[in-house]
Amino acid sequence: MTQRKGEKPTISIQEHMAIDVCPGPIQPIKQISDYFPRYPRGLPPAAPHQAGHIGPLRSALSTSSAAASDNPDRACAGAAASSPAVRRDEEPDVEGYDSDDSTTLGTLEFSLQYDQENNALHCTINKAKGLKPMDHNGLSDPYVKLHLLPGASKANKLRTKTLHNTLNPVWSETLTYYGITDEDMVRKTLRISVCDEDKFRHNEFIGETRIPLKKLKPNQIKNFNNCLEKQLPVNKTEDKSLEERGRIMISLKYNTQKSCLVVGIIRCAHLAAMDANGFSDPYVKTYLKPDENKKSKHKTAVKKKTLNPEFNEEFCYDIKYADLTKKTLEVTVWDYDIGKSNDFIGGVSLGINANGERLKHWFDCLKNKDKKIERWHTLTNELPGSLND
């Protein structure tokens, strides 16, 4: 800055603030942090006594620091008084977090029993506690939904009734899966989901738990009280050609007096829904192949609007006992539609070229003449042979 001749030298505000105006030698300005130190934990240390004259601000600070060192209780009170403000600033914003991170989803009490003799899995849904509220009134309209995995969800979905305006529902309801085999008990998992029913929007998921069926012992009731978890992804790497479409109970008997094979179509369970109303109109067809004369086709009656039809129908195939080793029984389930082609639901083949339970059923029939052998079989979406409806 240039100064004209004859002008009185001026002092800038920056230079003025840099000079200690108190009597004595000029002292360098301290850092602002020296006047306002941060003590995140504990008490501020007592400032050492400085000799000589100091500025008013530093004098006041030194006095308060000395008072704090002389009276530690007072210093503690000051620290305690300021701590709530610090904690208030550090409180998390609840609205900024996912509700699942800050609240629990609830617990579910239920029991499972595998009835080995009747090939049934009984699932008793008792009650839930402390469910996550899903509605604006702080409550929910909960129901429980069951699936067997792996498998088509529509083919084996069961659900309880809906209880309205409660976070602690008591269902005391038993849901039963039929056609459960020992093989299923080894490889299947039961998925139990709790959902909130909404009349005007899509139903909302609350939480789920999964139980591997291999944990159950035959004919023994096992009780569970599980915490619900967030929705887990379903494994979609299964072979779609073997997708399960339900179960069918078939009986076989070779009648030695009439020299014929008696095939009984007893019932189906948990069929895949093929219609828009969530049901099917199922019927069953049977073929004994190879069928040179095209006369082996039999068909049951159609059962309207059901996924668990009971047929209790028998068909008789005139055949020599020795020829059964060369034959294959093909059973298919269809959904009847008016005015368009019927939909294929699922099928199964029994014979010497089958495997697992299907092969065992066929051999048991051959070994036990004049004895009716009943078995549950899994329907897949593979069409046996090259059948057309």
Side-chain angles (χ1 to χ4, degrees):
M1 175 175 151
T2 57
Q3 181 179 345
R4 295 182 183 179
K5 209 171 187 180
E7 281 186 355
K8 189 176 180 179
T10 59
I11 300 176
S12 67
I13 186 67
Q14 290 87 354
E15 291 174 316
H16 177 77
M17 295 299 294
I19 298 175
D20 194 332
V21 295
C22 294
I26 296 176
Q27 300 287 341
I29 271 280
K30 286 194 172 188
Q31 296 292 328
I32 191 68
S33 59
D34 292 335
Y35 293 111
F36 302 100
R38 294 182 180 180
Y39 302 108
R41 291 177 183 172
L43 300 175
H49 178 71
Q50 295 182 2
H53 295 282
I54 58 174
L57 180 60
R58 280 181 291 159
S59 176
L61 287 172
S62 299
T63 303
S64 62
S65 298
S69 62
D70 293 337
N71 190 354
D73 291 339
R74 183 178 176 183
C76 287
S82 61
S83 60
V86 174
R87 283 198 299 268
R88 200 178 304 119
D89 292 340
E90 294 177 353
E91 279 183 1
D93 181 9
V94 176
E95 294 182 356
Y97 283 77
D98 183 24
S99 59
D100 286 347
D101 294 334
S102 56
T103 62
T104 58
L105 301 175
T107 60
L108 181 66
E109 293 184 22
F110 59 96
S111 64
L112 303 176
Q113 180 187 19
Y114 172 46
D115 184 352
Q116 191 175 36
E117 182 179 353
N118 298 311
N119 296 105
L121 176 65
H122 303 294
C123 312
T124 300
I125 308 300
N126 296 320
K127 59 183 178 180
K129 289 183 179 180
L131 293 181
K132 175 183 173 184
M134 304 298 290
D135 299 335
H136 295 299
N137 60 3
L139 300 173
S140 294
D141 302 316
Y143 66 93
V144 177
K145 189 169 54 173
L146 306 182
H147 290 104
L148 276 177
L149 303 175
S153 60
K154 289 184 179 180
N156 57 47
K157 181 178 75 174
L158 299 177
R159 63 163 284 175
T160 67
K161 59 187 176 184
T162 301
L163 299 180
H164 296 280
N165 297 324
T166 178
L167 300 180
N168 301 285
V170 178
W171 288 281
S172 298
E173 191 171 341
T174 299
L175 307 174
T176 301
Y177 281 105
Y178 295 100
I180 302 298
T181 63
D182 292 341
E183 182 183 353
D184 293 327
M185 297 301 295
V186 173
R187 66 185 188 93
K188 293 275 189 180
T189 296
L190 179 65
R191 177 189 181 192
I192 306 177
S193 307
V194 181
C195 302
D196 171 60
E197 186 177 279
D198 199 319
K199 292 182 179 180
F200 305 104
R201 297 180 299 174
H202 292 295
N203 296 343
E204 296 179 287
F205 175 85
I206 297 178
E208 72 170 39
T209 184
R210 298 188 184 186
I211 305 295
L213 297 186
K214 60 185 178 182
K215 290 185 175 182
L216 305 180
K217 295 181 180 180
N219 306 315
Q220 292 186 13
I221 298 176
K222 188 173 179 63
N223 296 311
F224 296 88
N225 187 6
N226 289 12
C227 291
L228 297 175
E229 302 177 277
K230 293 182 180 180
Q231 192 165 17
L232 301 173
V234 177
N235 185 9
K236 296 184 179 180
T237 60
E238 304 170 40
D239 185 359
K240 291 297 180 182
S241 65
L242 299 178
E243 180 182 320
E244 294 184 12
R245 309 301 293 273
R247 302 294 173 93
I248 185 169
M249 178 180 271
I250 302 172
S251 68
L252 297 177
K253 183 180 79 169
Y254 186 77
N255 190 322
T256 55
Q257 292 183 351
K258 297 182 178 180
S259 296
C260 68
L261 176 67
V262 181
V263 177
I265 304 300
I266 301 173
R267 63 182 297 184
C268 295
H270 319 302
L271 295 179
M274 307 301 291
D275 297 336
N277 60 7
F279 294 96
S280 294
D281 301 318
Y283 67 94
V284 180
K285 294 193 301 181
T286 64
Y287 293 84
L288 192 62
K289 299 239 179 146
D291 182 19
E292 297 175 357
N293 298 324
K294 306 293 182 181
K295 294 182 179 180
S296 71
K297 175 182 174 181
H298 290 284
K299 185 191 302 186
T300 69
V302 176
K303 302 296 180 179
K304 293 289 186 178
K305 199 176 179 182
T306 178
L307 301 180
N308 299 280
E310 293 190 19
F311 298 100
N312 294 314
E313 297 187 37
E314 289 186 341
F315 307 113
C316 198
Y317 292 99
D318 294 326
I319 185 173
K320 295 179 181 179
Y321 177 78
D323 293 339
L324 284 178
T325 56
K326 306 173 186 176
K327 296 290 185 176
T328 297
L329 178 67
E330 294 182 351
V331 181
T332 55
V333 183
W334 299 79
D335 171 53
Y336 177 76
D337 287 320
I338 300 176
K340 59 179 181 178
S341 298
N342 297 331
D343 298 319
F344 173 70
I345 297 179
V348 63
S349 297
L350 284 71
I352 57 172
N353 295 321
N355 51 41
E357 287 292 325
R358 297 170 293 171
L359 177 62
K360 186 175 183 299
H361 193 186
W362 191 255
F363 276 150
D364 287 346
C365 172
L366 298 180
K367 290 189 295 184
N368 300 278
K369 298 178 184 178
D370 297 313
K371 182 179 179 180
K372 183 183 290 188
I373 309 294
E374 296 180 352
R375 292 281 191 280
W376 280 97
H377 296 283
T378 300
L379 298 170
T380 68
N381 63 346
E382 271 188 327
L383 190 64
S386 56
L387 302 177
N388 292 319
D389 186 38

